[in-house]
Amino acid sequence: MSKFSDCLITSTQQFGFKRKHSTSMCTMMLKEILAYYTVDGGSAFCTLFDATKAFDRGNYCKLFTKLMSRNIPRKYLRLLLNMYTSSVARVSWNGIFSQSFTVENGVRQGGVVSPVLFCFYIDGLLQRLLRGSIVLSVQYMLVC
């Protein structure tokens, strides 16, 4: 991952899964912004983005199209593509295993590259929201 850190740079407003960043920074920033706007009885509005199960829903075609646009060497792209498109899983319940099935989307939870790929995957959404918003503070919560 360190070889390609320049290719995988994401927005400076993205706090999750980044070195020297924390989602608590996001929370503190939201509190400060709300205090600033409501101190004299003003109003503040906030939009939150629920990313529940987001790791499970990432589309492989979109992810790898985005990775190709960042000039990552093809041999590493092929390796990642093979790792993700050849994944199979089984469900275990009470010691009984299901039949194997193909995993067709998402990034692996607990995988070393998964947080980086997830941040990279949603960065386009954050960029579009930042371009379309007047109040920048709202977007800080989108990435926490």
Coordinates of all heavy atoms in Angstrom, one line a residue, residues 69-119:
S69 N -8.2 4.4 -13.1 CA -8.0 5.8 -13.4 C -6.9 6.5 -12.6 O -6.4 7.6 -13.0 CB -9.3 6.6 -13.2 OG -9.5 6.8 -11.8
R70 N -6.4 5.8 -11.6 CA -5.3 6.4 -10.8 C -3.9 5.8 -11.1 O -3.0 6.0 -10.4 CB -5.6 6.1 -9.3 CG -6.8 6.8 -8.8 CD -6.6 8.3 -8.6 NE -7.7 9.0 -8.0 CZ -7.8 9.3 -6.7 NH1 -6.8 9.1 -5.9 NH2 -8.8 9.9 -6.3
N71 N -3.8 5.1 -12.2 CA -2.5 4.7 -12.7 C -1.8 3.7 -11.8 O -0.6 3.7 -11.7 CB -1.6 5.8 -13.1 CG -2.2 6.7 -14.1 OD1 -2.7 6.2 -15.1 ND2 -2.0 8.0 -14.0
I72 N -2.5 2.9 -11.1 CA -1.9 1.8 -10.3 C -1.4 0.7 -11.3 O -2.2 0.4 -12.3 CB -2.9 1.2 -9.3 CG1 -3.2 2.3 -8.3 CG2 -2.4 0.0 -8.7 CD1 -4.3 1.9 -7.3
P73 N -0.2 0.2 -11.2 CA 0.3 -0.8 -12.1 C -0.7 -1.9 -12.3 O -1.3 -2.4 -11.4 CB 1.6 -1.2 -11.5 CG 2.0 -0.1 -10.7 CD 0.8 0.5 -10.2
R74 N -0.8 -2.4 -13.6 CA -1.8 -3.4 -13.9 C -1.6 -4.7 -13.2 O -2.6 -5.4 -12.8 CB -1.7 -3.7 -15.4 CG -2.3 -2.5 -16.2 CD -2.3 -2.8 -17.7 NE -2.8 -1.6 -18.3 CZ -2.9 -1.5 -19.6 NH1 -2.6 -2.5 -20.4 NH2 -3.4 -0.4 -20.2
K75 N -0.4 -5.1 -12.9 CA -0.2 -6.4 -12.2 C -0.8 -6.3 -10.8 O -1.3 -7.3 -10.3 CB 1.3 -6.8 -12.1 CG 2.2 -5.9 -11.4 CD 3.7 -6.4 -11.5 CE 4.6 -5.4 -10.8 NZ 6.0 -5.8 -10.9
Y76 N -0.7 -5.2 -10.1 CA -1.4 -5.1 -8.8 C -2.9 -5.0 -8.9 O -3.6 -5.5 -8.1 CB -0.8 -3.9 -8.0 CG 0.7 -4.0 -7.7 CD1 1.6 -3.3 -8.5 CD2 1.1 -4.9 -6.8 CE1 3.0 -3.5 -8.2 CE2 2.5 -5.1 -6.5 CZ 3.4 -4.4 -7.2 OH 4.7 -4.6 -7.0
L77 N -3.3 -4.3 -9.9 CA -4.8 -4.3 -10.2 C -5.3 -5.7 -10.4 O -6.4 -6.1 -9.9 CB -5.1 -3.4 -11.4 CG -5.1 -1.9 -11.1 CD1 -5.3 -1.1 -12.3 CD2 -6.2 -1.6 -10.1
R78 N -4.6 -6.5 -11.3 CA -5.0 -7.9 -11.5 C -5.0 -8.7 -10.3 O -5.9 -9.5 -10.1 CB -4.1 -8.5 -12.6 CG -4.4 -8.1 -14.0 CD -3.7 -9.0 -15.0 NE -2.3 -8.9 -15.0 CZ -1.5 -8.0 -15.6 NH1 -2.1 -7.1 -16.4 NH2 -0.2 -8.0 -15.5
L79 N -4.0 -8.5 -9.4 CA -4.0 -9.2 -8.1 C -5.2 -8.9 -7.3 O -5.9 -9.8 -6.8 CB -2.7 -8.9 -7.4 CG -2.6 -9.5 -6.0 CD1 -2.4 -11.0 -6.0 CD2 -1.4 -8.9 -5.3
L80 N -5.5 -7.6 -7.1 CA -6.7 -7.2 -6.3 C -7.9 -7.7 -7.0 O -8.8 -8.2 -6.3 CB -6.7 -5.7 -6.2 CG -5.7 -5.1 -5.2 CD1 -5.8 -3.6 -5.4 CD2 -6.1 -5.5 -3.8
L81 N -8.0 -7.6 -8.3 CA -9.2 -8.1 -9.0 C -9.4 -9.5 -8.8 O -10.6 -10.0 -8.5 CB -9.1 -7.7 -10.5 CG -10.3 -8.0 -11.4 CD1 -11.5 -7.2 -10.9 CD2 -9.9 -7.7 -12.8
N82 N -8.4 -10.3 -8.9 CA -8.5 -11.8 -8.7 C -8.9 -12.1 -7.2 O -9.7 -12.9 -7.0 CB -7.1 -12.4 -9.0 CG -7.3 -13.9 -9.0 OD1 -8.2 -14.5 -9.5 ND2 -6.3 -14.6 -8.4
M83 N -8.3 -11.4 -6.3 CA -8.6 -11.6 -4.9 C -10.1 -11.3 -4.6 O -10.7 -12.1 -3.9 CB -7.8 -10.7 -4.0 CG -6.4 -11.1 -3.8 SD -5.4 -9.9 -2.9 CE -6.4 -9.4 -1.5
Y84 N -10.6 -10.3 -5.2 CA -12.0 -9.9 -4.9 C -13.0 -10.7 -5.8 O -14.1 -11.1 -5.3 CB -12.2 -8.4 -5.1 CG -11.7 -7.7 -3.8 CD1 -10.4 -7.2 -3.7 CD2 -12.6 -7.5 -2.7 CE1 -10.0 -6.6 -2.5 CE2 -12.2 -6.9 -1.6 CZ -10.9 -6.5 -1.5 OH -10.5 -5.9 -0.3
T85 N -12.7 -10.9 -7.0 CA -13.7 -11.6 -7.9 C -13.7 -13.1 -7.7 O -14.6 -13.8 -8.1 CB -13.6 -11.2 -9.3 OG1 -12.2 -11.6 -9.8 CG2 -13.8 -9.8 -9.6
S86 N -12.7 -13.7 -7.1 CA -12.6 -15.1 -6.9 C -13.0 -15.5 -5.4 O -12.7 -16.6 -5.0 CB -11.2 -15.6 -7.2 OG -10.8 -15.3 -8.5
S87 N -13.5 -14.6 -4.7 CA -13.8 -14.8 -3.3 C -15.1 -15.7 -3.2 O -16.0 -15.5 -3.8 CB -14.1 -13.5 -2.5 OG -12.9 -12.8 -2.4
V88 N -15.0 -16.7 -2.3 CA -16.1 -17.5 -1.9 C -16.2 -17.5 -0.4 O -15.3 -17.3 0.3 CB -15.9 -19.0 -2.4 CG1 -16.0 -19.0 -4.0 CG2 -14.7 -19.6 -1.9
A89 N -17.4 -17.8 0.0 CA -17.7 -17.8 1.5 C -18.7 -19.0 1.8 O -19.4 -19.5 0.9 CB -18.3 -16.5 1.9
R90 N -18.7 -19.3 3.1 CA -19.7 -20.2 3.6 C -20.2 -19.7 4.9 O -19.5 -18.9 5.6 CB -19.1 -21.6 3.9 CG -18.6 -22.3 2.7 CD -18.1 -23.7 3.0 NE -17.3 -23.9 4.2 CZ -17.0 -25.1 4.7 NH1 -17.5 -26.2 4.2 NH2 -16.3 -25.1 5.8
V91 N -21.5 -20.0 5.2 CA -22.1 -19.5 6.5 C -22.0 -20.7 7.5 O -22.4 -21.8 7.1 CB -23.5 -19.1 6.2 CG1 -24.2 -18.7 7.6 CG2 -23.6 -17.9 5.3
S92 N -21.6 -20.4 8.7 CA -21.6 -21.4 9.7 C -22.6 -21.0 10.8 O -22.7 -19.9 11.3 CB -20.2 -21.4 10.4 OG -20.2 -22.2 11.5
W93 N -23.5 -22.0 11.1 CA -24.5 -21.7 12.1 C -24.7 -23.0 12.9 O -25.0 -24.0 12.4 CB -25.8 -21.3 11.4 CG -26.9 -20.8 12.4 CD1 -26.8 -19.8 13.3 CD2 -28.2 -21.4 12.6 NE1 -27.9 -19.7 14.0 CE2 -28.8 -20.6 13.6 CE3 -28.8 -22.4 12.0 CZ2 -30.1 -20.9 14.0 CZ3 -30.1 -22.7 12.4 CH2 -30.7 -22.0 13.4
N94 N -24.5 -22.9 14.2 CA -24.6 -24.0 15.1 C -23.7 -25.2 14.6 O -24.1 -26.3 14.7 CB -26.0 -24.5 15.3 CG -26.7 -23.7 16.3 OD1 -26.1 -23.0 17.1 ND2 -28.0 -23.8 16.3
G95 N -22.5 -24.9 14.1 CA -21.6 -25.9 13.7 C -22.0 -26.5 12.3 O -21.3 -27.5 11.9
I96 N -23.0 -26.1 11.7 CA -23.4 -26.6 10.3 C -23.0 -25.5 9.3 O -23.2 -24.3 9.5 CB -24.9 -26.8 10.3 CG1 -25.2 -27.9 11.3 CG2 -25.3 -27.3 8.9 CD1 -26.7 -28.1 11.5
F97 N -22.3 -26.0 8.2 CA -21.8 -25.1 7.2 C -22.7 -25.1 6.0 O -23.2 -26.2 5.5 CB -20.4 -25.4 6.8 CG -19.4 -25.1 7.8 CD1 -19.0 -26.1 8.8 CD2 -18.8 -23.8 7.9 CE1 -18.1 -25.8 9.8 CE2 -17.9 -23.5 8.9 CZ -17.5 -24.5 9.8
S98 N -23.0 -23.9 5.4 CA -23.7 -23.9 4.1 C -22.8 -24.3 3.0 O -21.6 -24.5 3.1 CB -24.2 -22.5 3.9 OG -23.1 -21.6 3.5
Q99 N -23.4 -24.4 1.8 CA -22.6 -24.6 0.6 C -21.8 -23.3 0.3 O -22.3 -22.2 0.7 CB -23.5 -25.0 -0.6 CG -24.1 -26.3 -0.5 CD -24.9 -26.7 -1.7 OE1 -25.2 -25.8 -2.6 NE2 -25.3 -27.9 -1.8
S100 N -20.7 -23.4 -0.4 CA -19.9 -22.2 -0.8 C -20.7 -21.4 -1.8 O -21.5 -21.9 -2.6 CB -18.6 -22.7 -1.4 OG -17.8 -23.3 -0.4
F101 N -20.5 -20.1 -1.7 CA -21.1 -19.2 -2.7 C -20.1 -18.1 -3.0 O -19.3 -17.8 -2.2 CB -22.5 -18.6 -2.2 CG -22.3 -17.9 -0.9 CD1 -22.1 -16.5 -0.8 CD2 -22.5 -18.6 0.3 CE1 -22.0 -15.8 0.4 CE2 -22.4 -17.9 1.6 CZ -22.1 -16.5 1.6
T102 N -20.3 -17.5 -4.2 CA -19.4 -16.5 -4.7 C -19.8 -15.1 -4.0 O -21.0 -14.8 -3.9 CB -19.5 -16.3 -6.2 OG1 -19.3 -17.6 -6.8 CG2 -18.5 -15.3 -6.7
V103 N -18.8 -14.4 -3.5 CA -19.0 -13.1 -3.0 C -18.9 -12.1 -4.2 O -17.8 -12.0 -4.8 CB -17.9 -12.7 -1.9 CG1 -18.1 -11.3 -1.4 CG2 -18.0 -13.8 -0.8
E104 N -19.9 -11.4 -4.4 CA -20.0 -10.6 -5.7 C -19.9 -9.1 -5.5 O -19.8 -8.3 -6.4 CB -21.3 -10.9 -6.4 CG -21.4 -12.3 -6.8 CD -22.7 -12.7 -7.5 OE1 -23.6 -11.9 -7.6 OE2 -22.7 -13.8 -8.0
N105 N -19.8 -8.6 -4.2 CA -19.6 -7.2 -4.0 C -19.0 -7.0 -2.6 O -19.0 -7.9 -1.8 CB -20.8 -6.4 -4.3 CG -22.0 -6.8 -3.4 OD1 -22.0 -7.9 -2.7 ND2 -23.0 -6.0 -3.3
G106 N -18.6 -5.7 -2.3 CA -18.1 -5.4 -1.0 C -16.6 -5.5 -0.9 O -16.0 -6.1 -1.7
V107 N -16.1 -4.9 0.1 CA -14.7 -5.1 0.5 C -14.6 -5.9 1.7 O -15.5 -5.9 2.6 CB -13.9 -3.7 0.7 CG1 -13.8 -3.0 -0.7 CG2 -14.6 -2.9 1.7
R108 N -13.6 -6.7 1.9 CA -13.5 -7.7 3.0 C -13.3 -6.9 4.3 O -12.4 -6.2 4.5 CB -12.3 -8.6 2.8 CG -12.4 -9.4 1.6 CD -11.2 -10.3 1.4 NE -11.3 -11.1 0.3 CZ -10.4 -11.8 -0.3 NH1 -9.2 -11.8 0.3 NH2 -10.6 -12.6 -1.3
Q109 N -14.2 -7.2 5.2 CA -14.1 -6.7 6.6 C -12.9 -7.3 7.3 O -12.8 -8.6 7.2 CB -15.4 -6.9 7.3 CG -16.5 -6.1 6.7 CD -17.8 -6.2 7.6 OE1 -17.7 -6.5 8.7 NE2 -18.9 -5.9 6.9
G110 N -12.0 -6.5 7.8 CA -10.8 -7.1 8.5 C -9.6 -7.2 7.5 O -8.5 -7.5 8.0
G111 N -9.8 -7.0 6.2 CA -8.7 -7.0 5.3 C -7.9 -5.8 5.4 O -8.3 -4.7 5.7
V112 N -6.6 -6.0 5.2 CA -5.6 -4.9 5.4 C -5.9 -3.7 4.4 O -5.8 -2.6 4.8 CB -4.2 -5.4 5.2 CG1 -3.2 -4.3 5.3 CG2 -3.8 -6.4 6.3
V113 N -6.2 -4.0 3.2 CA -6.4 -3.0 2.2 C -7.9 -2.5 2.2 O -8.2 -1.5 1.5 CB -6.0 -3.4 0.8 CG1 -4.6 -3.7 0.7 CG2 -6.8 -4.6 0.3
S114 N -8.8 -3.2 2.8 CA -10.2 -2.8 2.8 C -10.5 -1.4 3.2 O -11.3 -0.7 2.5 CB -11.0 -3.8 3.6 OG -11.0 -5.1 3.0
P115 N -10.0 -0.9 4.3 CA -10.3 0.5 4.7 C -9.8 1.5 3.6 O -10.5 2.5 3.3 CB -9.6 0.7 6.0 CG -9.4 -0.6 6.6 CD -9.2 -1.5 5.4
V116 N -8.7 1.3 3.1 CA -8.1 2.2 2.1 C -9.0 2.1 0.8 O -9.4 3.2 0.3 CB -6.7 1.8 1.7 CG1 -6.1 2.6 0.6 CG2 -5.8 1.9 2.9
L117 N -9.4 0.9 0.4 CA -10.2 0.8 -0.8 C -11.6 1.4 -0.5 O -12.2 2.0 -1.4 CB -10.4 -0.7 -1.2 CG -9.1 -1.4 -1.7 CD1 -9.4 -2.8 -2.0 CD2 -8.6 -0.7 -3.0
F118 N -12.1 1.2 0.7 CA -13.4 1.8 1.0 C -13.4 3.4 0.9 O -14.2 4.0 0.3 CB -13.9 1.4 2.4 CG -15.2 2.0 2.7 CD1 -16.4 1.6 2.1 CD2 -15.3 2.9 3.7 CE1 -17.6 2.1 2.5 CE2 -16.5 3.5 4.1 CZ -17.7 3.1 3.4
C119 N -12.4 4.0 1.6 CA -12.2 5.4 1.5 C -12.1 5.9 0.1 O -12.7 6.9 -0.3 CB -11.0 5.9 2.3 SG -11.2 5.8 4.1

